[in-house]
């Protein structure tokens, strides 16, 4: 169990990645607390009358040497739009770290599969796995070319395969159509839309690959108190924010 903190972090960078995504790089006057891949934060949106709840954002990267936390965010509404306008030097109130992260292997080869904004937490995951001696391969899915962001940070950690639904970049179609997903790995990690997650999990089962997925249920409180993110599992109802967001596929109900 990780100790949770409420911290006021300072914006070091606010980088526009494309027309939909931006990255906030944040720091603190004290050393950042321990965070593991797959955990998330809850961000308070200030001075926006239409936004009442914090916004759950996955951890994109943690650089303990630079003492920075990076969040890759999709601009989809008033809350995220307000965050996209934060200037360097401004502050933001954040609860962290929240939830349970991925189970880390320490040898072999891992396939990291992401779709859309679901690619964000896979950067930190890949960095930690690579530092532990694991061979990392990425399979990242996007709708169209304009959805892509700079993938050089991912490419520095391992091979990167890309699919787009219209074939404008990489292999045409969904990630489940890519040949690299058709073989066995020591571990498969997934984050993305529910239909993608479900279909990738079935591919993992077909190849006998152990697989963990990060669910994207809307998490209002992030602490397991409001019960707004409850999902049905083989072990009963679970709060995605406190029992997850990462679950082994063997514990999930994967039927449509």
């Amino acid at each position: 169990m990780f100790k949770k903190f409420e911290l006021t972090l300072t914006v070091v960078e606010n980088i526009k990645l494309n027309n939909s995504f931006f990255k906030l790089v944040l720091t603190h006057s004290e050393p950042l607390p321990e965070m593991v891949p797959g955990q998330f934060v809850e961000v308070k949106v200030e001075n926006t009358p239409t936004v009442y709840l914090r916004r759950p954002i996955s951890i994109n990267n943690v650089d303990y040497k630079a003492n920075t936390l990076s969040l890759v965010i999709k601009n989809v509404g008033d809350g995220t739009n307000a965050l996209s306008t934060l200037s360097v030097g401004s502050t933001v109130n954040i609860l962290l770290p929240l939830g349970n992260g991925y189970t880390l292997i320490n040898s072999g080869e891992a396939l990291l599969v992401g779709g859309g904004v679901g690619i964000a937490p896979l950067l930190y995951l890949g960095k930690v796995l690579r530092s532990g001696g694991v061979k990392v391969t990425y399979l990242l899915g996007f709708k169209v070319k304009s959805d892509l962001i700079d993938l050089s940070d991912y490419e520095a950690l391992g091979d990167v395969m890309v699919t787009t639904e219209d074939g404008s970049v990489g292999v045409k179609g969904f990630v489940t159509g890519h040949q690299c997903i058709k073989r066995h790995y020591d571990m498969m990690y997934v984050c993305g839309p529910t239909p993608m997650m479900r279909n990738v999990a079935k591919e993992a089962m077909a190849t006998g690959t152990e697989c963990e997925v990060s669910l994207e249920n809307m998490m209002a409180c992030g602490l397991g108190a409001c019960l707004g993110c409850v999902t049905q599992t083989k072990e009963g109802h679970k709060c995605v924010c406190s029992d997850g967001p990462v679950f082994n596929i063997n514990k999930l109900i994967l039927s449509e």
Side-chain angles (χ1 to χ4, degrees), residues 60-115:
N60 170 243
N61 195 23
V62 184
D63 186 334
Y64 289 105
K65 186 176 181 179
N67 201 42
T68 57
L69 165 69
S70 297
L71 307 175
V72 169
I73 304 169
K74 185 175 183 179
N75 195 336
V76 293
D78 291 347
T80 50
N81 184 62
L83 295 176
S84 74
T85 66
L86 291 175
S87 58
V88 173
S90 59
T91 59
V92 58
N93 183 274
I94 294 182
L95 296 178
L96 80 168
L98 302 175
N100 297 299
Y102 290 102
T103 302
L104 303 176
I105 60 174
N106 53 23
S107 63
E109 183 177 2
L111 180 66
L112 283 56
V113 186

Side-chain angles (χ1 to χ4, degrees), residues 194-249:
T194 298
M196 186 209 80
M197 175 273 295
R198 183 184 295 116
N199 290 327
V200 171
K202 291 177 180 177
E203 292 287 347
M205 288 179 169
T207 60
T209 298
E210 192 78 6
C211 180
E212 290 186 340
V213 301
S214 180
L215 301 187
E216 292 191 329
N217 297 39
M218 185 61 184
M219 296 173 282
C221 72
L223 302 171
C226 71
L227 305 181
C229 64
V230 169
T231 193
Q232 177 67 26
T233 74
K234 293 178 181 178
E235 299 176 342
H237 289 92
K238 299 288 185 179
C239 283
V240 171
C241 68
S242 55
D243 296 310
V246 175
F247 292 89
N248 189 290
I249 61 172

Side-chain angles (χ1 to χ4, degrees), residues 43-196:
V43 182
K44 185 176 182 180
V45 182
E46 304 277 8
N47 304 316
T48 306
T50 59
V51 180
Y52 303 99
L53 301 174
R54 290 177 180 265
R55 291 296 183 261
I57 308 294
S58 61
I59 294 170
N60 170 243
N61 195 23
V62 184
D63 186 334
Y64 289 105
K65 186 176 181 179
N67 201 42
T68 57
L69 165 69
S70 297
L71 307 175
V72 169
I73 304 169
K74 185 175 183 179
N75 195 336
V76 293
D78 291 347
T80 50
N81 184 62
L83 295 176
S84 74
T85 66
L86 291 175
S87 58
V88 173
S90 59
T91 59
V92 58
N93 183 274
I94 294 182
L95 296 178
L96 80 168
L98 302 175
N100 297 299
Y102 290 102
T103 302
L104 303 176
I105 60 174
N106 53 23
S107 63
E109 183 177 2
L111 180 66
L112 283 56
V113 186
V117 74
I119 76 168
L122 301 184
L123 180 65
Y124 186 35
L125 174 60
K127 184 173 80 170
V128 174
L129 289 172
R130 174 74 179 270
S131 67
V134 176
K135 176 177 170 52
V136 173
T137 300
Y138 285 104
L139 176 58
L140 308 177
F142 304 90
K143 285 191 174 183
V144 295
K145 181 179 180 179
S146 59
D147 288 339
L148 266 72
I149 64 171
D150 181 4
L151 299 177
S152 58
D153 288 340
Y154 296 82
E155 292 167 345
L157 299 172
D159 294 333
V160 177
M161 315 296 178
V162 171
T163 67
T164 50
E165 293 181 23
D166 64 352
S168 52
V169 178
V171 173
K172 183 177 181 179
F174 301 110
V175 291
T176 47
H178 199 286
Q179 285 303 306
C180 76
I181 208 172
K182 307 296 182 183
R183 67 179 184 85
H184 176 82
Y185 295 85
D186 295 286
M187 191 69 174
M188 190 180 295
Y189 302 97
V190 188
C191 187
T194 298
M196 186 209 80

